[in-house]
Amino acid sequence: MQTTLTTYTVQQICEDFEYNELEGKGLFGLAGKLTIQPEYQRSYIYLGTPSETAVITSLLKGYPLGLIYFNRLDDGRLEVLDGQQRITSFGRYVTGKFAIIDGNGNPHYFDALPSDQQDLILNSKILVYECEGKETEIKEWFKTINIKGIPLNEQELRNAIYSGPFVTAGKAVFSNSTSNSNLDKWRTFVKGAPNRQEIWETALRWVSEDKIDDYMSLHRHDTGITEVKSYFDAVLDWASRVFTTTRAEMCGLDWGRLYRTYHHKSYSATSVDTDVVALYGDPYVTNKSGVFEYVLGGQTDLKLLQIRVFDKPTRITAYTKQTKDAKDRNTSNCPLCAIGPSPNNTKLWPLSEMDADHISAWSTGGATVTFNCQMLCSTHNKAKGNH
Ligand SMILES: [Zn+2]
């Protein structure tokens, strides 16, 4: 790979600068010669953030913006390898897309700046490394240089590695938050920011059953994403049919796995809702996000609910009472040892070797209160097993 160090002024880079509002990305600069956001680049994430303003105030103070890297293609055109957030920031500013706010809260658009400040920005020199090499070489290197700033996340890296028409089609559907009428429905079930590729990642995770890299490699040259999109829609349609009331804990569950496991079973949305309401109202259920799978699975897997356990004062109270009674009767303080064969039927266990048990299990209505707590020796508690 060959590299050349060169400089451009902000004015040169901003010549014919184009910003696409719809896709939220800078497109071209250097009179059309520079592609600012090649498809393997992440979206413009400085939009509306303090970083965007910081780029402009740095230029006004004469601070350097740091090194920028371009990739020189065979036909002489350039694309930004690293620096597209900075370039898009000053490009958007110079073309009047946003204002900087001064210390008194007054906005200043580029056109309204005094001409000496305009010149200061336009004449700022930007230091650029131009590199030439094979696609794989450049992409490998791109992974290395991008560790500064906000690092690329896993899906942004995958988009770089498997760049092509498939990634372009996926991003058009899943990473475009400005013109997306489905976003509210998606947000009910899927966590993450569209522009950081997190919805796209979830869609891929579901259709590929967690083998995103294999899937992207296999479909890299596809021109569409029909399978990804229809699977994603099927999962969300199913989830919103079964669970008709929106709850915060639904967001971010692995609905793809739940769909694969349970969509062949039939559910009544009304009785599902009644069950969910009851479990949400149960103070002993500490893991609300487990409620949905618990109901889907026929209310058998108690681990999903993380039923509240007895606290220490409750355990000590029960232990003290049981041990006193056991001493009076000369039996073991573990009620199950007491009715068993010797020698353990008279053994007094220390607190550290006993565990708390619900006399009446939670699943049959037993509450986590003192009168329902009994201490069992560890062996008997494990054998009983049921909360
Ligand atoms: Zn025992």
Side-chain angles (χ1 to χ4, degrees):
M1 189 171 67
Q2 280 191 321
T3 56
T4 330
L5 190 59
T6 178
T7 60
Y8 292 98
T9 61
V10 165
Q11 181 159 33
Q12 285 176 307
I13 295 178
C14 289
E15 193 179 344
D16 297 333
F17 174 82
E18 257 187 68
Y19 177 77
N20 184 320
E21 295 284 350
L22 206 63
E23 293 179 47
K25 64 183 199 178
L27 298 178
F28 303 108
L30 276 177
K33 193 178 162 193
L34 174 71
T35 302
I36 294 170
Q37 194 185 46
E39 56 186 321
Y40 54 81
Q41 274 278 17
R42 64 166 155 224
S43 308
Y44 180 57
I45 56 178
Y46 277 14
L47 183 69
T49 69
S51 304
E52 189 171 54
T53 304
V55 169
I56 308 309
T57 47
S58 296
L59 291 175
L60 285 169
K61 287 176 183 164
Y63 296 164
L65 287 189
L67 265 179
I68 279 180
Y69 297 85
F70 291 169
N71 175 26
R72 181 177 285 280
L73 306 173
D74 290 341
D75 61 5
R77 293 178 46 80
L78 299 163
E79 50 182 36
V80 178
L81 269 178
D82 190 47
Q84 62 119 342
Q85 307 291 330
R86 285 166 284 168
I87 290 176
T88 307
S89 296
F90 63 64
R92 274 170 44 81
Y93 186 68
V94 167
T95 52
K97 297 287 193 297
F98 71 98
I100 52 168
I101 313 292
D102 69 17
N104 299 319
N106 301 315
H108 296 279
Y109 282 93
F110 179 77
D111 281 350
L113 287 182
S115 61
D116 62 316
Q117 292 200 341
Q118 290 186 350
D119 290 345
L120 193 60
I121 290 176
L122 293 175
N123 296 330
S124 295
K125 285 196 163 52
I126 306 294
L127 207 51
V128 177
Y129 258 120
E130 290 185 4
C131 328
E132 259 183 289
K134 287 203 258 332
E135 190 189 1
T136 46
E137 222 172 30
I138 304 264
K139 281 178 184 168
E140 201 49 46
W141 185 61
F142 172 72
K143 276 167 79 168
T144 319
I145 58 170
N146 246 285
I147 46 181
K148 67 175 160 26
I150 305 168
L152 292 185
N153 65 29
E154 293 230 356
Q155 188 55 41
E156 287 167 336
L157 272 177
R158 287 192 201 100
N159 285 353
I161 294 163
Y162 305 109
S163 70
F166 179 70
V167 165
T168 306
K171 286 173 82 170
V173 173
F174 288 104
S175 26
N176 183 351
S177 49
T178 47
S179 61
N180 195 328
S181 55
N182 295 314
L183 204 60
D184 282 345
K185 184 176 181 186
W186 294 358
R187 287 236 158 93
T188 305
F189 296 98
V190 186
K191 223 177 215 149
N195 68 347
R196 297 301 309 270
Q197 314 304 322
E198 289 167 312
I199 314 274
W200 169 228
E201 180 177 38
T202 299
L204 286 165
R205 184 179 307 292
W206 290 353
V207 75
S208 70
E209 303 190 11
D210 283 334
K211 297 189 184 72
I212 301 181
D213 281 273
D214 293 354
Y215 192 89
M216 289 186 79
S217 165
L218 192 66
H219 292 274
R220 182 171 179 184
H221 300 292
D222 292 5
T223 50
I225 55 156
T226 314
E227 187 183 50
V228 184
K229 183 66 167 59
S230 36
Y231 196 88
F232 186 77
D233 288 341
V235 171
L236 293 192
D237 285 347
W238 170 79
S240 49
R241 270 200 317 274
V242 178
F243 298 102
T244 44
T245 309
T246 298
R247 292 170 202 282
E249 290 78 7
M250 285 176 169
C251 183
L253 296 182
D254 189 354
W255 289 104
R257 182 180 63 77
L258 295 176
Y259 173 79
R260 282 197 298 283
T261 315
Y262 299 107
H263 85 277
H264 296 297
K265 295 177 72 172
S266 72
Y267 297 96
S268 143
T270 318
S271 64
V272 162
D273 201 51
T274 309
D275 292 342
V276 172
V277 168
L279 289 159
Y280 260 65
D282 190 320
Y284 303 103
V285 172
T286 66
N287 181 36
K288 292 205 171 19
S289 53
V291 162
F292 306 95
E293 184 165 13
Y294 180 72
V295 170
L296 289 171
Q299 312 211 28
T300 52
D301 190 355
L302 282 168
K303 284 196 299 296
L304 292 165
L305 302 179
Q306 293 172 15
I307 298 304
R308 177 180 296 158
V309 294
F310 291 105
D311 61 14
K312 200 167 180 188
T314 307
R315 281 182 280 133
I316 290 173
T317 306
Y319 176 83
T320 309
K321 181 176 183 303
Q322 271 174 241
T323 306
K324 183 180 174 299
D325 292 351
K327 276 181 185 158
D328 292 347
R329 281 187 261 125
N330 192 30
T331 60
S332 171
N333 58 351
C334 166
L336 295 182
C337 286
I339 55 173
S342 60
N344 278 356
N345 59 9
T346 54
K347 176 158 181 162
L348 290 175
W349 298 92
L351 181 59
S352 60
E353 289 175 35
M354 299 187 89
D355 293 309
D357 172 60
H358 289 82
I359 296 169
S360 153
W362 176 86
S363 48
T364 58
T368 309
V369 289
T370 315
F371 64 79
N372 194 26
C373 175
Q374 72 178 347
M375 301 299 287
L376 296 179
C377 73
S378 301
T379 311
H380 275 124
N381 192 58
K382 277 200 197 79
K384 198 171 169 195
N386 190 4
H387 277 291

